[in-house]
Structure formats: structure tokens, C-alpha cells
């Protein structure tokens, strides 16, 4: 098709503002999906996405639309996730587009991710088409929200398109606006091939399927191709477009979006952000790709059955094919044997990966409490990075520990400013600024340590603001802090999977709470089990799990006291011997107790 009749665009919005529903209506209006095949969230084909009602993976689809002018256009839509943990998916999708539909909920107004995704789109020089969705709801205020958008973008409120994606009201106007405002792709078919890989998934028959946006040249099924970053050479198994299933076409030209089935068996050969060119006479320079995404949260993943170790590795490798941000490496723990240290972008991402492993690969896994990556300056001047508390060197070798800090923005109605400020201050946050968006809504900016943010900050924020506050965060940098390692000893043996790095001021309280939690969770043994929390060489809290005792005096009716004493002494000696050789099994719930410490506040 002529490049002037191609439009590449994506939909960006805060989570739950109606991106996937709008995508459904666009597919219906253009006749890409028939009414018989239509279902909610057509593009969310993962079971987990449909169940939770959130988009986890960006997905691409080609639609053919006949405009009011009678001309036919090829519309390439990329539906993106809205959750803050998946902003890397959004950043990649934006690279493949010339325009973005910015969806704002008529009942909620502009929220944290609306702004974060908008700024990302503006950095990529995309044409923005603002849309107010959910105007059919009784609480909708389309005029107020349109005015908010006008203040933010400078687009007159009268040009903001009011729609209802659920009923399909006025959705056609969005397609017409895309044709009018989004520029056609630039690129030259006669130049050497350059195609940007913006996503990938794994197919057991076709290998790694790369989602590509062809910038220059053309992709042909019969030509040998080369990945510019990895140098891997391939002969394409299949080339085609998404409509919305995979439809082979055999060729893609400059400006088009589609897929290449590479036949590769590992994601290492076909990285997201790489440029595909011809194996002979290809382009000299790659396209500006993406920065390699950096995980923020780390946790240990262990199979409940040791025999499943290899299956867990296979599952993680397959997930990595779909998810460029997932990193993992083997680790061992005294308490849990062999497993992996896995890096995630945030807690929601961790939850999704855990659930996908359990469902899609039918594995029972145990995930330890999440931690962040610390920088440790040693006394000899060397700087090391550690993502597991168990790897922290001895106290005497450390000059300082630096922890990652984030800049957070909280959007909230003004009624909740007090409780939110109190929550952030309790978590060691430092106040930066407060701005009023309108008469009743405020954006608070704070600096906060990432370790305080990852566990349950978002849940607490939602509960104290009755669900109205929304959160966005960016990495700010590493700062030194008064941090120490809190160790847990069960029966005088350190349990490395329960260790954590905490602020010195919190060490005593957290140690006490953890010991109290573990006392309830560790089952009683035949001997007394001491549970201790220690920092360095100092034990700061202790509790004993009482022994299960047999009543050895049950058969003594009266008689001499020495007989009773003899039986009790015999029992005492037996318990002592048992304690020397006894082994305490720490149950799975104990590892999750670390996560629930904040609930005791």
C-alpha cells in the first residue's frame, strides 16, 4: 500500500481508563473482527490478562479502514499496558508509531500514568489525539476533564473527542482524527533494510517471533537477514501481519508493522530493540534502539520439590522470550536448596511472573521476600552491588551502604493529603513539592527509598485514599544510608532466606515483630526451639517455641517424689540429646511473614 495511506498509532492511558475496550470497538468498526468472533479484550489473549482485566503485553494489529472521503487506509494499532510496572512495554511500542491516542476517564480525570505515558510519547515526537472516555457513566464530567486536558496539552477543549468505548458512541470520530492528524510514516523502500524489533513472543513451531516496524527498505521471505546487535544470521520462516491473528504475507515494506518468524530458539539471539537488516549489503548504522531495561526488585524463586529445578529454569527461559525485562541467575540457600535470583520491574510484575509460572508450567514454587539492589562501598575502596541480603559482606569490611531512591508523584483529592503525607513520612520519605491541578486535586512529589515502596506502599496508599490516589515513580539515584543486615536464627542456625537489609532505626522493631510472627508459624518440635533476630553480632530479640511434651508422670499415683524427679530428669536428657541433632523445618508461610511486617504498624 502507498505510504501516504498508512497510519501507525498506539493507545496510551492510565490503568483501567478503557484502552483495550477502545481497541475492541476500533476492531469492530473496521471489520477486522466479525461480530461472531467478538469478545471483550480481543487483544488481551493471555488468560491472566482477561481474568485481571489488565493488559500485560503490548499487542499489535492491522486494520483496513475506508474513511469518509472514500479512500482506504491501513491502520496499524499497538495496544499498550497502563500499569507503572509495564512502562517499558509502552516505551518500546512508542518507537514504532507516529501518533498516540491519549485516553482519559471522564469520571477520574488525569492520573499518574496518564502523565507518565504522555511525557514518554512527547519525548518520541508523537502526534497526540486526546480522547475522553466513559461519557455514558452517571458520574462522568467530560467538560471538566476536557478542560484539564486543555490546561495540560494546550489543545482546545472543543477538539477533545468525547466517546464511550463500551457503547461505541462517537468512536468513528477517533479513526477520522487519526487519519487527519497522525502523519504517514517516513522511510525509503529503495534504501537498505532497517527494521526495528519492538516486541517478541515464542512459538514452539516457528521459534522467536519478532514484532517489527520496517523503517527503510523491504523484508522478503527469500532473503537472508542479520540482527545488528547480536550478529545472528537467519532465514525467515514466515513474514506477515497481525489481523489480529498472524496472517502470512511474505513481504513487508517501509512504514509497515508486522512480524518475522525467525526460527531462533533463544531470546539472546533476537533482542527487543535490535535492528534487522540484510545479511549481505545491509545498513551500516542500526536504528536508535532501547536502553536495556533494568530490574528494580529482586526475589529468590525456589521449587517446592527439588526435582523441579530444571523445569523451573525452562519456565523462566520461556517467559524471558516474551518478557525482555525478566533477568535471573542460579542461587543456593541453606534453607531452600537450589533456586534462582530473579529480577523484576516491580511487585505487580513479580506477582504476574509467579502466577504465570504456576499456571502455564504447573510448578509449585516458593518466592522469598523481595529486596532491592544495594551499592556497598568496602573499606578497600571497591564498590560492589548486591541484590540479596545474604550476599552482604561482614560489617567490619563495609565503609557505607547506598540504597536506591525514587521520585514519586501521588495524585490525590485534597481530602486525603494529611494521611498520605503521614504514610510517606513514616516510610522515610522526604517532601519535595505540592501542586494543585484544580480546585480539589493535588499532586504531591516526594523522594522515597525503593525498599519502602516495593512491599505494600501502593496497597496502603489505595486504602487510606479510598482508591482515589494514583502513584507514579521514577528512579532518582543511590544515596548512602544507615543500613544494617537483620538476620534470623532458628535453633541457632541462620536462615539466609529470611535475612533482610533494614534501616538501623527500624531494626529493633522489625526484629521483634518478625520473631513474634515466626513464633506463631514455626511448628512445635520435640525440643525447645529458640528464634532470634540479630544485627551483626548482637541479638536484638528472642522468643522460644515451647517443646511438645509427653506427660511422663501420668502413671505415677502418689508414691515417692524421687521417682517423679527421676522420670523428669530422664525426659530432660532425651530432649537435650534431640536438640543437638534436631533439624527444624521452616514452613513456607514463614518466608512470607517478612512481607506482612508492615501490617502490624
Amino acid at each position: 500500500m502507498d505510504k501516504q495511506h498508512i497510519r501507525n498509532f498506539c493507545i496510551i492511558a492510565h490503568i483501567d481508563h478503557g484502552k483495550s475496550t477502545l481497541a475492541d470497538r476500533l476492531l469492530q468498526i473496521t471489520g477486522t473482527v466479525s461480530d461472531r468472533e467478538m469478545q471483550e479484550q480481543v487483544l488481551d489473549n493471555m488468560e491472566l490478562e482477561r481474568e485481571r482485566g489488565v493488559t500485560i503485553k503490548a499487542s499489535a494489529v492491522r486494520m483496513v479502514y475506508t474513511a469518509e472521503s472514500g479512500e482506504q487506509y491501513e491502520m496499524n494499532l499497538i495496544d499498550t499496558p497502563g500499569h507503572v510496572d509495564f512502562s517499558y512495554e509502552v516505551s518500546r511500542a512508542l518507537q514504532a508509531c507516529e501518533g498516540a491516542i491519549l485516553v482519559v476517564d471522564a469520571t477520574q480525570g488525569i492520573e499518574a500514568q496518564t502523565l507518565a505515558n504522555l511525557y514518554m510519547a512527547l519525548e518520541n515526537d508523537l502526534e497526540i489525539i486526546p480522547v475522553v472516555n466513559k461519557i455514558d457513566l452517571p458520574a462522568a464530567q467530560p467538560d471538566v476533564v476536557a478542560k484539564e486536558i486543555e490546561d495540560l496539552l494546550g489543545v482546545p477543549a472543543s477538539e477533545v473527542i468525547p466517546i464511550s468505548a463500551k457503547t461505541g458512541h462517537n468512536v468513528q470520530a477517533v479513526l477520522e482524527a487519526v487519519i487527519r492528524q497522525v502523519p504517514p510514516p517516513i522511510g525509503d523502500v529503495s534504501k537498505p533494510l532497517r527494521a526495528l524489533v519492538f516486541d517478541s513472543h515464542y512459538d514452539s513451531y516457528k521459534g522467536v517471533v519478532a514484532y517489527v516496524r520496517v523503517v527503510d527498505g523491504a523484508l522478503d521471505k527469500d532473503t537472508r537477514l542479520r540482527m545488528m546487535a547480536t550478529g545472528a544470521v537467519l532465514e525467515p520462516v514466515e513474514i506477515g501481519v497481525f489481523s489480529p491473528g498472524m496472517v502470512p504475507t511474505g513481504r513487508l515494506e517501509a512504514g509497515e508493522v508486522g512480524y518475522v518468524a525467525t526460527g531462533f530458539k533463544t531470546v539472546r539471539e533476537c533482542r527487543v530493540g535490535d535492528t534487522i537488516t540484510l545479511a549481505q549489503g545491509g545498513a551500516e548504522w542500526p536504528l536508535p534502539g532501547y536502553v536495556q531495561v533494568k530490574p528494580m526488585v529482586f526475589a529468590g524463586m525456589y521449587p517446592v520439590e527439588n526435582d523441579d529445578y530444571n523445569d523451573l529454569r525452562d519456565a523462566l527461559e520461556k517467559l524471558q522470550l516474551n518478557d525482555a525485562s525478566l533477568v535471573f541467575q542460579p542461587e543456593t540457600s541453606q534453607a531452600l536448596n537450589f533456586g534462582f535470583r530473579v529480577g523484576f520491574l516491580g511487585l505487580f510484575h513479580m506477582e504476574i511472573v509467579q502466577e504465570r509460572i504456576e499456571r502455564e508450567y504447573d510448578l509449585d514454587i516458593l518466592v522469598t521476600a523481595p529486596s532491592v539492589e544495594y551499592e556497598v562501598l568496602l573499606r578497600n575502596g571497591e564498590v560492589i552491588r548486591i541484590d540479596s541480603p545474604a550476599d552482604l559482606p561482614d560489617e567490619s569490611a563495609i565503609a557505607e551502604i547506598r540504597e536506591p531512591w525514587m521520585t514519586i508523584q501521588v495524585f490525590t483529592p485534597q481530602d486525603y493529603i494529611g494521611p498520605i503525607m503521614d504514610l510517606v513520612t513514616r516510610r522515610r520519605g522526604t517532601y519535595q513539592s505540592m501542586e494543585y491541578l484544580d480546585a480539589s486535586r493535588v499532586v504531591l512529589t516526594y523522594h522515597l527509598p525503593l525498599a519502602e515502596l516495593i512491599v505494600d506502599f501502593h496497597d496502603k496508599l489505595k486504602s487510606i485514599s479510598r482508591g482515589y490516589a494514583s502513584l507514579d515513580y521514577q528512579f532518582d539515584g543511590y544515596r548512602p544510608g544507615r543500613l544494617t543486615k537483620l538476620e534470623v536464627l532458628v535453633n541457632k542456625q541462620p536462615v539466609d532466606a529470611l535475612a533482610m537489609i533494614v534501616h538501623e532505626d527500624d531494626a529493633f522493631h522489625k526484629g521483634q515483630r518478625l520473631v513474634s510472627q515466626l513464633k506463631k508459624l514455626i511448628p512445635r518440635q520435640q525440643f525447645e526451639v529458640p528464634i532470634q533476630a540479630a544485627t551483626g553480632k548482637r541479638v536484638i530479640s528472642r522468643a522460644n517455641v515451647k517443646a511438645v511434651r509427653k506427660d511422663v508422670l501420668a502413671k505415677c499415683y502418689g508414691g515417692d517424689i524421687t521417682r517423679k524427679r527421676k522420670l523428669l530428669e530422664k525426659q530432660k536428657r532425651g530432649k537435650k540429646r534431640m536438640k543437638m541433632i534436631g533439624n527444624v523445618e521452616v514452613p513456607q508461610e514463614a518466608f512470607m511473614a517478612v512481607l506482612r511486617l508492615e501490617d502490624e504498624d
Side-chain angles (χ1 to χ4, degrees), residues 32-72:
T32 310
V33 176
S34 67
D35 289 345
R36 188 170 61 83
E37 297 168 305
M38 194 64 208
Q39 54 178 2
E40 281 186 28
Q41 295 171 275
V42 176
L43 296 179
D44 294 348
N45 47 21
M46 207 188 294
E47 186 190 338
L48 207 53
E49 290 182 312
R50 310 185 67 77
E51 201 173 282
R52 286 176 174 244
V54 294
T55 305
I56 294 165
K57 292 287 295 169
S59 45
V61 64
R62 173 185 287 194
M63 306 177 290
V64 177
Y65 173 65
T66 306
E68 288 172 357
S69 61
E71 292 182 283
Q72 213 173 47

Side-chain angles (χ1 to χ4, degrees), residues 513-531:
R513 286 207 300 273
L514 189 53
V515 164
S516 314
Q517 290 261 23
L518 292 175
K519 186 182 174 186
K520 295 176 202 162
L521 294 169
I522 289 177
R524 289 172 71 179
Q525 310 289 325
Q526 294 285 342
F527 52 90
E528 190 172 78
V529 178
I531 304 169

Side-chain angles (χ1 to χ4, degrees), residues 179-255:
I179 287 167
R180 273 197 319 277
Q181 295 174 38
V182 175
I186 51 172
D188 194 341
V189 182
S190 59
K191 283 187 178 173
L193 168 70
R194 288 199 304 169
L196 180 73
V197 180
F198 67 86
D199 206 348
S200 66
H201 79 259
Y202 185 73
D203 184 292
S204 40
Y205 300 106
K206 298 168 187 165
V208 178
V209 177
Y211 296 28
V212 295
R213 157 71 197 274
V214 185
V215 177
D216 290 321
L219 263 172
D220 256 318
K221 190 175 182 313
D222 305 327
T223 49
R224 291 184 81 216
L225 306 173
R226 176 169 59 89
M227 311 297 299
M228 292 186 82
T230 60
V233 175
L234 67 129
E235 286 184 10
V237 178
E238 189 176 288
I239 290 175
V241 297
F242 297 100
S243 183
M246 287 160 65
V247 180
T249 59
R251 183 178 169 86
L252 289 172
E253 293 189 350

Side-chain angles (χ1 to χ4, degrees), residues 72 82 178 188 192 197 269 284 298 303 372 415 520 528 589:
Q72 213 173 47
V178 170
D188 194 341
V197 180
E269 295 159 312
E284 288 180 36
F298 295 84
V372 300
D415 307 357
K520 295 176 202 162
E528 190 172 78
E589 297 80 54

Side-chain angles (χ1 to χ4, degrees), residues 166-180:
K166 191 175 177 184
T167 63
H169 173 73
N170 208 23
V171 172
Q172 194 141 359
V174 178
L175 284 168
E176 293 295 331
V178 170
I179 287 167
R180 273 197 319 277

Side-chain angles (χ1 to χ4, degrees), residues 485-519:
K485 178 177 168 185
L486 181 65
E487 271 199 302
V488 174
L489 295 94
V490 175
N491 200 21
K492 301 192 178 157
Q493 296 297 316
V495 181
D496 49 5
L498 287 174
M500 53 181 170
I501 295 173
V502 297
H503 197 268
E504 282 177 8
D505 295 348
D506 299 336
F508 179 69
H509 301 294
K510 281 200 170 165
Q512 264 194 328
R513 286 207 300 273
L514 189 53
V515 164
S516 314
Q517 290 261 23
L518 292 175
K519 186 182 174 186

